[in-house]
């Protein structure tokens, strides 16, 4: 008599890798007038404790500001007065003992002041402006839509794209430095410059990130 197994062997695989978790832009404080829209809809008043999804655009009025906390990487930044910014991407993925976050912001008008703690090696935090993309890693910074960048701690790597010629160039901005695009990008040999940060600007940034 031959014994026949009634069970078919099942091939086992390792546990599925977790996919990215979509983060939130949490509104910590609203000072003055501010509004937001989801994916191009109508702008409505913005209030503290709101949680915005990627795709949202925030707009501040004159003499107004908004403090935003990003849940995917625990970074915080201030949307300064007369600024328009879109949160394009906020994700976090657990990879073993490490966590990889991806953040994409776009400053269309005005400026933001941020404080980003050191990220994991594979993480990215990019801020797009009309004249380039800034890569941030453990940095206190101010980024203007016109391309001016101030760094008080850490480093920022900027890929600047000349709006007149389309030529791109990469700069590393270190602590206590200011990156300034050329005033006349169409001029022959026009290049951005790096300079020592102004003391008044540095003090303003320090005060703002400590609030």
């Amino acid at each position: 008599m031959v014994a026949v197994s009634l069970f078919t062997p099942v091939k086992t695989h390792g546990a599925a890798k977790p996919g990215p978790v979509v983060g939130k832009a949490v509104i910590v404080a609203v000072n003055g007038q501010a509004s937001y829209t989801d994916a191009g809809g109508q702008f409505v008043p913005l209030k503290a404790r709101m949680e915005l999804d990627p795709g949202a655009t925030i707009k501040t009025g004159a003499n107004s500001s908004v403090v935003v906390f990003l849940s995917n990487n625990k970074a915080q930044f201030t949307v300064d007065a007369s600024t328009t910014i879109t949160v394009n991407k906020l994700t976090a993925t657990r990879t073993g003992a490490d966590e990889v976050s991806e953040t994409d912001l776009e400053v269309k008008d005005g400026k933001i002041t941020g404080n980003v703690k050191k990220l994991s090696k594979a993480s990215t935090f990019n801020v797009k402006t009309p004249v380039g993309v800034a890569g941030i890693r453990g940095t206190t910074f101010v980024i203007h839509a016109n391309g001016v960048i101030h760094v008080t701690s850490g480093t920022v790597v900027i890929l600047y794209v000349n709006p007149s010629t389309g030529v791109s160039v990469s700069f590393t901005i270190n602590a206590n430095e200011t990156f300034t695009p050329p005033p006349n990008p169409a001029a022959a040999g026009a290049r951005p410059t790096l300079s020592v940060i102004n003391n008044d600007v540095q003090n303003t940034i320090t005060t703002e990130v400590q609030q």
Side-chain angles (χ1 to χ4, degrees):
M1 186 174 186
V2 179
V4 179
S5 174
L6 300 179
F7 300 97
T8 303
V10 177
K11 293 183 179 180
T12 58
H13 300 276
K17 293 183 178 180
V21 176
V22 178
K24 300 280 188 178
V26 182
I27 307 305
V28 177
V30 176
N31 302 299
Q33 300 296 316
S35 57
Y36 81 100
T37 178
D38 286 322
Q42 183 178 1
F43 277 90
V44 296
L46 186 65
K47 298 179 181 180
R49 294 189 293 277
M50 282 184 167
E51 296 185 356
L52 308 185
D53 294 317
T57 295
I58 297 170
K59 182 182 291 186
T60 55
N63 303 314
S64 302
S65 64
V66 174
V67 180
V68 182
F69 173 83
L70 303 179
S71 67
N72 68 317
N73 57 19
K74 298 178 174 56
Q76 184 165 297
F77 66 92
T78 299
V79 184
D80 293 297
S82 303
T83 295
T84 302
I85 179 173
T86 297
V87 180
N88 289 323
K89 185 176 185 179
L90 297 174
T91 63
T93 305
R94 175 65 65 180
T95 58
D98 205 358
E99 186 168 85
V100 176
S101 63
E102 293 182 85
T103 303
D104 290 337
L105 308 177
E106 184 175 357
V107 180
K108 299 176 179 179
D109 293 297
K111 64 184 177 75
I112 63 171
T113 301
N115 182 17
V116 178
K117 296 181 180 180
K118 188 175 181 180
L119 303 173
S120 64
K121 188 174 181 180
S123 294
T124 59
F125 192 118
N126 295 324
V127 179
K128 183 180 179 181
T129 72
V131 293
V133 179
I136 296 163
R137 301 193 65 83
T139 312
T140 302
F141 62 88
V142 174
I143 296 180
H144 295 251
N146 65 6
V148 174
I149 300 174
H150 307 291
V151 176
T152 60
S153 68
T155 59
V156 170
V157 177
I158 173 70
L159 180 64
Y160 169 78
V161 181
N162 187 304
S164 295
T165 64
V167 175
S168 61
V169 60
S170 179
F171 279 77
T172 297
I173 313 166
N174 295 308
N176 302 318
E177 288 186 335
T178 292
F179 171 89
T180 306
N184 181 10
R191 284 179 59 84
T193 59
L194 287 175
S195 59
V196 177
I197 196 169
N198 180 282
N199 286 335
D200 290 338
V201 172
Q202 187 173 35
N203 292 336
T204 299
I205 296 171
T206 300
T207 300
E208 190 164 334
V209 298
Q210 288 177 346
Q211 291 179 346

